[in-house]
């Protein structure tokens, strides 16, 4: 039986954040990925940051081995640097999502500037695609960025939902509504340009429904909230609850 859309990619970075807080091996993000797969995650997402603040190189190797053996896609998030390009070319994850990265940021703030960075990004997209990875660009739902993503050869765009989530956190319904409209319009434009549409960042039980209901949404990537909530509920119930909210949003 086909699984319902959108797919749920579980980002396990913050299991590694907890592990690294004590410098040992526990909790192991790869064990977390295995538990997420058993709980019905459609994919595992991990961000190998330049500063290795959570996921490390050996985690990526072990995640790739696990995902290959479980036949679940590994989505490697990475900055558009030659170091990361080389690692991704060696690792051959099923999917790569290119994200902007600044050392001083707490998390990925804002989308990639594909318009300004075209000459730098397009060759990386091409090399990764030729190597067998499906490449996604993490952008804001801005018309020029969507066109540039298609022009750069990406097959997927992931729209940054951080500003939408933040507006709701601040109680600014009007702003959240405007951002949601832009995300909906962006999804239509991207699909018309032949791009698959994903969403991610800051999604929770409380704000996921309107995003999952967007008809073009094929995948949501969710990390921080699910890992945080699993402290209270356990990982499997947290994933199940997210999945059922997503399915209800789409199919009623
Ligand atoms: N998608 C992308 C491209 C991201 O960079 C992140 C954060 O690493 C996420 C999704 C997940 O965001 P969150 O951890 O807030 O759910």
């Amino acid at each position: 039986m086909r699984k319902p859309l959108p797919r749920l990619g579980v980002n396990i970075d913050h299991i590694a954040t907890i592990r690294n807080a004590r410098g040992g091996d526990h909790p192991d993000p790869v064990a977390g990925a295995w538990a997420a797969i058993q709980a019905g995650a459609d994919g595992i997402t991990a961000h190998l940051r330049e500063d290795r603040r959570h996921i490390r190189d050996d985690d990526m190797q072990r995640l790739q081995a696990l995902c290959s053996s479980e036949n679940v896609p590994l989505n490697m998030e990475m900055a558009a640097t030659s170091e990361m390009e080389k690692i991704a070319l060696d690792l051959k994850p099923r999917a790569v999502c290119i994200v902007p990265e600044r050392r001083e940021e707490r998390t990925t703030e804002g989308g990639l500037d594909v318009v300004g960075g075209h000459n730098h990004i397009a060759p990386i997209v091409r090399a990764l695609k030729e190597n067998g990875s499906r490449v996604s660009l993490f952008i804001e739902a801005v018309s020029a960025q969507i066109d540039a993503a298609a022009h750069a050869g990406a097959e997927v765009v992931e729209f940054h939902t951080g500003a939408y989530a933040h507006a709701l956190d601040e109680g600014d319904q009007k702003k959240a509504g405007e951002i949601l409209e832009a995300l909906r319009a962006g999804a239509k434009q991207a699909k018309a340009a032949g791009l698959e549409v994903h969403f991610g960042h800051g999604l929770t039980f409380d704000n996921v429904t309107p995003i999952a209901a967007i008809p073009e949404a094929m995948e949501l990537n969710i990390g921080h909230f699910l890992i945080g909530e699993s402290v209270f509920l356990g990982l499997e119930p947290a994933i199940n609850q997210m999945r059922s909210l997503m399915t209800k949003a789409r199919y009623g």
Side-chain angles (χ1 to χ4, degrees):
M1 202 182 80
R2 278 190 66 195
K3 283 199 178 180
L5 290 171
R7 298 185 296 268
L8 174 58
V10 175
N11 180 316
I12 46 75
D13 291 349
H14 295 299
I15 301 177
T17 303
I18 299 172
R19 173 195 63 190
N20 296 356
R22 285 291 170 94
D25 294 333
H26 186 268
D28 181 1
V30 183
W34 184 84
I37 293 167
Q38 304 316 306
D42 299 301
I44 297 298
T45 295
H47 186 173
L48 185 66
R49 293 186 76 101
E50 191 189 1
D51 62 8
R52 312 300 198 268
R53 68 176 70 159
H54 38 56
I55 293 295
R56 302 187 298 231
D57 300 58
D58 64 301
D59 296 328
M60 292 307 299
Q61 302 281 351
R62 294 185 304 125
L63 286 167
Q64 174 66 359
L66 172 75
C67 288
S68 298
S69 76
E70 297 289 323
N71 196 23
V72 164
L74 174 64
N75 176 29
M76 173 181 174
E77 294 176 355
M78 55 168 253
T81 63
S82 51
E83 182 205 11
M84 287 300 153
E85 179 184 1
K86 185 176 177 321
I87 292 171
L89 289 174
D90 288 344
L91 193 70
K92 298 184 193 298
R94 188 102 56 95
V96 171
C97 181
I98 301 180
V99 303
E101 205 178 291
R102 282 182 292 127
R103 256 180 197 277
E104 66 278 13
E105 71 190 356
R106 214 179 289 162
T107 180
T108 312
E109 291 163 3
L112 196 64
D113 179 10
V114 194
V115 176
H118 178 271
N119 294 346
H120 172 60
I121 293 165
I124 300 179
V125 172
R126 194 178 326 115
L128 293 169
K129 271 173 73 177
E130 283 170 9
N131 198 48
S133 295
R134 194 152 188 252
V135 182
S136 146
L137 300 180
F138 189 46
I139 59 171
E140 303 287 340
V142 169
S143 184
Q145 296 293 348
I146 299 166
D147 284 344
H151 195 235
E155 293 159 282
V156 181
V157 280
E158 180 164 328
F159 288 123
H160 200 311
T161 48
Y164 155 77
H166 188 64
L168 284 177
D169 284 347
E170 302 275 294
D172 194 340
Q173 297 286 342
K174 183 168 173 290
K175 187 169 178 198
E178 286 164 6
I179 300 170
L180 192 55
E181 274 316 306
L183 290 167
R184 289 187 180 123
K188 279 201 176 61
Q189 182 188 336
K191 187 170 181 196
L195 293 158
E196 184 171 302
V197 177
H198 299 177
F199 292 92
H201 211 282
L203 296 175
T204 68
F205 292 155
D206 289 337
N207 65 23
V208 75
T209 296
I211 300 295
I214 296 174
E216 292 81 9
M218 296 293 281
E219 182 172 308
L220 308 188
N221 283 300
I222 308 181
H224 185 268
F225 176 81
L226 279 177
I227 303 308
E229 197 62 16
S230 71
V231 171
F232 304 109
L233 300 179
L235 190 55
E236 181 166 354
I239 289 174
N240 282 339
Q241 194 170 330
M242 188 61 84
R243 154 123 271 143
S244 80
L245 285 167
M246 287 163 56
T247 305
K248 195 152 169 253
R250 195 62 162 265
Y251 302 96

